[in-house]
Amino acid sequence: MDLCDAAIKNRQYTQAITIAEQHADQAGFWLCKGRAQSSLGQNAASLDSFKQAIALKPNGLDLISAYMLLGNAQLEAKTHALAIESYQQALKLSDQQEMRRYSRIAHNLIGEAYFEIGQYTESLKAFEAGEKLAMNDDERADSYIHEALVYQQMQQTDKAIEYQLKGVLMLRKSGTPDQYAEASLVLGKLFAAKKDFGGASKTYQRLMEYARENGGMFYEAKTAIYWAEVKRAEGDIAGADQLMKQAEAIAMQYKDPELDELLAKSK
């Protein structure tokens, strides 16, 4: 298994498949083969591999992983009902074996599948169940941000802001700079959507200071572009122009396609 896993880690997917095929009697190698096939875009083949792994009746985490991976492949194939069934099976096994971490993951996967098909009430229930199993700030932040996204789709902006803010506060303490920054940008946009321009500006101000303190030029520029939209909405054209010049100066140095696209759209 180590050789197969190492091949996937090194993006040597064809080699991983070759290694896995030498161990057709072991579920773990079918899982490795399926993961390699998924990475190569061979969805139908990966589905078969994950089903083969399950047919070998592995124990413990291998069986839970097999159902999760099968669900992921079914979701990729847009067979959402089948994906949810697979995730629910993974949840049942995780609960039976008191694997709290994997129960939380399964709840979140179920939530994401329901979200994709617009069943937001069911999606929210799944994310809330996952939140109850969170064991640290990172996991709680992940749950809050998922819940905020559902509330946003349900057009419950106040609840979306409440949960996004909770997620941002958690990520400020324990997340990566990128996670905190992206969550803050979403929070700012939620405030702006509610026409709470003061809340949006405060959010962007905090993020701008954070980006400068942590050497995040990319997020300094991205924040400036988003903040400029708020300034325009408030009628502060001079303030918006100043922020756009700041973003353009950074983009000239940074040469990032995402920044260039954002700048082009904002003009």
Side-chain angles (χ1 to χ4, degrees), residues 71-131:
N72 291 346
Q74 290 165 330
L75 200 65
E76 182 70 23
K78 303 299 181 186
T79 53
H80 292 83
L82 292 176
I84 290 166
E85 284 180 19
S86 295
Y87 294 145
Q88 287 172 335
Q89 189 63 36
L91 174 61
K92 178 182 174 183
L93 291 165
S94 299
D95 285 346
Q96 286 173 350
Q97 296 171 61
E98 297 183 351
M99 292 186 175
R100 178 172 176 151
R101 176 171 179 251
Y102 291 94
S103 293
R104 185 188 71 82
I105 292 169
H107 278 301
N108 282 354
L109 290 170
I110 291 166
E112 288 169 4
Y114 276 124
F115 184 86
E116 278 198 17
I117 54 176
Q119 294 190 23
Y120 300 126
T121 301
E122 293 303 317
S123 177
L124 187 60
K125 285 179 186 176
F127 290 137
E128 287 173 340
E131 180 198 328

Side-chain angles (χ1 to χ4, degrees), residues 55-67:
L56 289 169
K57 298 181 180 178
N59 295 316
L61 187 53
D62 275 350
L63 186 56
I64 292 168
S65 297
Y67 276 112

Side-chain angles (χ1 to χ4, degrees), residues 127-194:
F127 290 137
E128 287 173 340
E131 180 198 328
K132 291 174 184 174
L133 296 172
M135 292 184 285
N136 54 52
D137 285 348
D138 277 349
E139 292 179 358
R140 277 183 279 275
D142 181 60
S143 293
Y144 293 147
I145 285 169
H146 273 99
E147 289 164 47
L149 186 59
V150 180
Y151 281 123
Q152 185 180 358
Q153 290 299 316
M154 295 171 78
Q155 298 184 335
Q156 295 184 32
T157 307
D158 286 340
K159 295 291 286 185
I161 289 171
E162 176 188 342
Y163 278 84
Q164 190 71 21
L165 180 57
K166 288 163 76 171
V168 165
L169 293 173
M170 290 284 178
L171 290 172
R172 180 72 188 243
K173 293 190 292 182
S174 64
T176 67
D178 284 5
Q179 288 174 326
Y180 170 73
E182 288 294 342
S184 295
L185 289 171
V186 171
L187 179 61
K189 291 191 82 171
L190 285 170
F191 276 123
K194 193 188 171 187

Side-chain angles (χ1 to χ4, degrees), residues 243-262:
L243 285 164
M244 289 301 294
K245 286 176 184 175
Q246 180 182 338
E248 287 166 359
I250 293 171
M252 287 286 288
Q253 298 176 45
Y254 209 80
K255 300 189 185 304
D256 182 274
E258 184 182 348
L259 282 183
D260 291 341
E261 185 178 348
L262 280 173

Side-chain angles (χ1 to χ4, degrees), residues 224 228 231-232 236-248:
K231 292 286 187 184
R232 287 193 202 99
D236 184 0
I237 305 304
D241 289 346
Q242 185 178 352
L243 285 164
M244 289 301 294
K245 286 176 184 175
Q246 180 182 338
E248 287 166 359

